[in-house]
Amino acid sequence: MALRILAVLAFGFLLSGCVSVMEEFEDRGNAPIPMKLVNQMSSNGMTVSDPVLVRIFKEESELEVWKRDRTGRFALLKTYPMCRWSGKLGPKTTSGDRQAPEGFYHVTASMLNPQSQYHLSFNLGYPNRLEAALGYTGDSLMVHGACSSSGCFAMTDEGVGEIYAVVRDAIRGGQQSVQVQSFPFRMTARNMARHRGDPNTSFWQNLKEGYDIFEATRRQPQVSACGRRYVFDTMFPTSAPLDPLAACPAGEQREDPLVASRQAAEESAYQMAISGGNLTPIHAYSDGGMHETFRSLLEKRGVDRLSKLSSRTEVPVSRPEAALADPHRIRERP
């Protein structure tokens, strides 16, 4: 009898511990958007439930959160410095290659993870339909906290806490999925000229089509896939193409004079950049990058201090030597 009582007590103790852990995760995942950011939304004509859109730039090591305002268009809410991303510029194609993905993704409620070992996270959904059809492999590519990456985008615990809450409240407000656009760099004409010799140039030109639509109109581009590439703002006779590898069926592409004007201006600027020369040398990353603010902290205060500043549980900074080797200093804006 005594043994049975001890077993019951032990089970009750474990159960209470589990509940405590689950409550901790629930509290973490339900933390409100900081009031300062809520006030900023209000002054910009936004509410916490308005739709959001996320853009990620590897070379600049920045993540942008955009929110739809009362005009019906998206406006920049906040730009977050990225503490760590891994791999090199270019798409992720193979499991274990340490590449952070590039492309267009859609985050739903089921992809939010309040139980992440990196504080909070949301899954990008890699591989998307196009990537899966192309045979790309890998999974669990996240935006998360801390300063450690193996194919993910690490934002620090504080940074991801804000981003997670903004995305969560937009989904709770009725947004079915949040579009995440992940780019190798800000896709200006000059940056495209700088990287024109890269093997990924054709792929990046395809990404730039979607980038230019958003830049010109401040609306979310409609994304489909066929002909082994992304297709934007195209209405097809029935539904979206089922086979991303098959030739694109006949469809009607939305014509927008703002987009056409931007594309013409970008082509002109691209040709001028090439003819003008003096382009910044292309950077070869040994293993990803780090925003210059965190790199400065790493240089001045060391890896242990950056670990403490970026993670409540002091997750180690991934491959700090490679982060310090990132030569990119100039952050070009469009």
Side-chain angles (χ1 to χ4, degrees):
M1 178 63 71
L3 289 175
R4 289 182 61 188
I5 293 174
L6 286 173
V8 170
L9 289 174
F11 178 77
F13 174 79
L14 291 173
L15 184 61
S16 65
C18 180
V19 170
S20 176
V21 170
M22 293 305 295
E23 287 176 349
E24 177 189 344
F25 286 136
E26 184 176 355
D27 290 344
R28 187 191 306 174
N30 288 323
I33 300 172
M35 188 52 62
K36 181 178 179 180
L37 199 56
V38 173
N39 291 338
Q40 183 180 334
M41 291 181 194
S42 180
S43 64
N44 291 342
M46 309 163 179
T47 69
V48 295
S49 60
D50 284 325
V52 299
L53 180 146
V54 173
R55 298 201 304 179
I56 297 170
F57 302 98
K58 285 183 178 177
E59 192 169 61
E60 293 80 4
S61 295
E62 291 181 338
L63 181 150
E64 295 176 343
V65 174
W66 293 71
K67 216 166 194 342
R68 199 170 68 190
D69 61 21
R70 62 170 63 97
T71 71
R73 296 189 176 190
F74 283 90
L76 181 62
L77 176 63
K78 188 170 180 177
T79 300
Y80 294 85
M82 191 182 305
C83 198
R84 201 73 177 90
W85 60 272
S86 59
K88 304 179 186 301
L89 302 185
K92 180 177 182 65
T93 61
T94 307
S95 179
D97 62 6
R98 293 188 61 80
Q99 283 289 98
E102 296 171 9
F104 289 78
Y105 305 93
H106 294 85
V107 175
T108 61
S110 64
M111 297 159 77
L112 302 178
N113 180 19
Q115 301 182 33
S116 172
Q117 61 178 319
Y118 299 110
H119 189 56
L120 293 165
S121 68
F122 54 86
N123 196 324
L124 294 175
Y126 173 94
N128 60 27
R129 286 183 64 251
L130 175 59
E131 292 162 336
L134 290 170
Y136 295 175
T137 57
D139 56 29
S140 301
L141 279 301
M142 308 278 184
V143 172
H144 61 57
C147 195
S148 177
S149 170
S150 181
C152 298
F153 299 106
M155 305 303 304
T156 78
D157 287 6
E158 181 181 3
V160 81
E162 286 192 11
I163 298 163
Y164 182 99
V166 172
V167 169
R168 177 203 64 210
D169 284 5
I171 291 175
R172 286 177 176 175
Q175 186 174 4
Q176 292 187 348
S177 65
V178 172
Q179 187 174 100
V180 178
Q181 306 173 0
S182 181
F183 299 112
F185 42 79
R186 294 187 182 278
M187 309 203 83
T188 63
R190 185 172 181 81
N191 277 343
M192 295 298 290
R194 285 176 51 235
H195 292 279
R196 66 188 183 280
D198 193 279
N200 294 298
T201 296
S202 179
F203 170 65
W204 291 341
Q205 288 171 340
N206 184 207
L207 294 186
K208 182 169 168 56
E209 295 174 33
Y211 177 90
D212 283 343
I213 289 171
F214 185 76
E215 283 291 302
T217 66
R218 295 295 187 244
R219 60 173 174 77
Q220 176 176 303
Q222 177 186 331
V223 183
S224 305
C226 55
R228 307 178 69 88
R229 65 195 306 274
Y230 293 108
V231 178
F232 303 97
D233 288 355
T234 301
M235 299 296 294
F236 295 98
T238 53
S239 58
L242 298 178
D243 185 356
L245 304 184
C248 292
E252 181 180 353
Q253 188 170 29
R254 179 188 297 177
E255 295 183 3
D256 192 314
L258 292 174
V259 176
S261 176
R262 176 177 174 83
Q263 289 173 338
E266 286 290 286
E267 177 59 26
S268 176
Y270 177 81
Q271 295 301 330
M272 287 183 63
I274 292 175
S275 62
N278 297 320
L279 296 172
T280 306
I282 296 174
H283 305 108
Y285 294 92
S286 59
D287 186 10
M290 172 183 284
H291 192 272
E292 55 197 13
T293 56
F294 297 115
R295 188 186 301 109
S296 178
L297 283 170
L298 181 58
E299 290 172 337
K300 295 176 181 178
R301 308 188 68 176
V303 64
D304 291 339
R305 182 58 177 164
L306 181 55
S307 174
K308 292 178 181 179
L309 290 172
S310 60
S311 168
R312 298 177 185 181
T313 54
E314 300 184 23
V315 173
V317 177
S318 62
R319 303 194 180 185
E321 299 83 3
L324 289 173
D326 168 17
H328 192 64
R329 288 293 195 272
I330 299 171
R331 312 291 167 180
E332 181 177 339
R333 298 283 178 175

